[in-house]
Amino acid sequence: MGRILGRIQAYWTNRAEGYSKVNQEELAGEQKNRWLRVLEEEFPRKAPSEIHVLDIGTGPGFFAIILAKAGYRVTAVDYTEEMLRKARENAGPYAERINWHRMDAQRLEFGDEQFDVVVSRNLTWNLEAPDKAYQEWRRVLKKGGLLLNFDANWYAHLFDTEKRRGYEEDRRNVENLHLEDHYIGTDIDEMERIAREVPLSPVSRPAWDVRTLKNVGFRSVCTDEAVWKRVWSDVEKVNYASTPMFLVKAVK
């Protein structure tokens, strides 16, 4: 186990309940349809039943659930047992259709070339060895397989004064508009301690991802830095205005 993987696991175990509520809201509203549209626009032009998707860092199961409901073959992994428990709960009758595994995203226990698509959301920033993770994700993809990774420069404000101002302005705007602050109810101090130790917090992304994915052997890599406009709720857009979500797309 990595130096801080245990602390990351403990943090997300404590976050599981709150994070699950966020996923439940997404599943109950219009957002699930927006996300599914964005995913399916990129997916191979085949019947869902012919596409095997691996959801890495599934958390409380959002991607796994919307894809299983749409008829895809889905395998979902997370390192935190409590997240997987919440995911199964949130999936309801669809839980049986999803293969769930507790697994480290940086050391996948699957054979080579198993999946048509790998999807991930808000995970890579939080890894100790994200370059190794990308190698692993490529390994388990079939030739011609697709990686879709959604992430953001979540804790860049710990290393950059301008980004710090943006983060603080987001907090003020959330308060002034009487919206729910997505940072409250989390152990901000511990998450910031972890964020200072993982390698991607001070790095400029998605430029780093493009370089790394090409280095590990993906043949085609591109980004969509406006994808957040299509999938985020109005509340998310205020909460995270200074940290817009991007999509990195890569083909093996």
Side-chain angles (χ1 to χ4, degrees):
M1 190 157 78
R3 191 168 48 88
I4 57 169
L5 190 55
R7 282 171 54 208
I8 292 169
Q9 181 192 7
Y11 172 84
W12 288 110
T13 298
N14 293 333
R15 276 288 304 277
E17 181 70 37
Y19 198 30
S20 183
K21 287 199 171 103
V22 173
N23 271 202
Q24 286 162 14
E25 285 167 20
E26 290 178 308
L27 290 165
E30 171 58 28
Q31 259 181 298
K32 65 180 182 298
N33 303 322
R34 285 187 223 149
W35 271 108
L36 188 60
R37 269 197 300 276
V38 164
L39 292 170
E40 289 191 319
E41 277 171 19
E42 305 294 348
F43 277 17
R45 298 283 172 259
K46 289 197 287 191
S49 60
E50 293 175 32
I51 298 175
H52 194 177
V53 184
L54 174 62
D55 176 19
I56 301 181
T58 190
F62 180 70
F63 274 175
I65 294 163
I66 64 172
L67 290 169
K69 284 184 174 179
Y72 294 90
R73 291 168 55 209
V74 180
T75 297
V77 303
D78 202 278
Y79 194 71
T80 306
E81 193 58 62
E82 185 60 15
M83 284 291 188
L84 289 169
R85 198 179 69 74
K86 289 287 179 195
R88 286 190 190 95
E89 213 173 84
N90 292 336
Y94 289 90
E96 299 305 310
R97 298 197 197 173
I98 299 164
N99 294 314
W100 308 97
H101 298 276
R102 180 175 176 267
M103 211 175 279
D104 179 357
Q106 301 153 119
R107 294 173 193 81
L108 296 175
E109 295 159 36
F110 301 114
D112 297 353
E113 304 197 352
Q114 299 276 305
F115 301 97
D116 301 287
V117 181
V118 166
V119 295
S120 191
R121 178 170 74 148
N122 299 341
L123 172 71
T124 23
W125 70 272
N126 183 44
L127 296 175
E128 281 182 272
D131 49 348
K132 187 165 189 312
Y134 274 153
Q135 280 174 2
E136 280 288 273
W137 302 4
R138 180 182 177 280
R139 181 182 66 75
V140 301
L141 274 171
K142 295 174 185 172
K143 192 168 177 5
L146 174 69
L147 166 64
L148 300 175
N149 184 20
F150 301 85
D151 209 355
N153 289 285
W154 289 117
Y155 284 87
H157 65 264
L158 298 175
F159 299 87
D160 181 307
T161 39
E162 194 183 325
K163 289 191 168 71
R164 183 81 203 176
R165 280 198 290 273
Y167 170 78
E168 285 168 358
E169 191 181 339
D170 293 348
R171 308 282 61 75
R172 282 194 296 276
N173 289 339
V174 166
E175 192 177 354
N176 293 340
L177 291 166
H178 307 293
L179 299 172
E180 183 186 350
D181 192 322
H182 288 186
Y183 285 86
I184 289 174
T186 69
D187 184 346
I188 293 175
D189 291 342
E190 174 60 1
M191 192 67 254
E192 289 192 354
R193 280 192 292 272
I194 290 169
R196 285 179 195 281
E197 292 187 47
V198 290
L200 288 186
S201 302
V203 166
S204 178
R205 302 180 64 201
W208 177 90
D209 301 76
V210 172
R211 280 195 311 276
T212 305
L213 287 163
K214 286 178 176 170
N215 286 343
V216 303
F218 279 94
R219 63 184 171 86
S220 159
V221 184
C222 60
T223 62
D224 177 357
E225 294 188 53
V227 72
W228 60 275
K229 295 176 182 174
R230 297 163 63 201
V231 291
W232 273 358
S233 67
D234 292 340
V235 175
E236 283 174 316
K237 286 173 184 172
V238 180
N239 262 277
Y240 308 129
S242 65
T243 48
M245 175 181 279
F246 54 78
L247 163 62
V248 187
K249 181 170 74 166
V251 179
K252 178 171 173 177

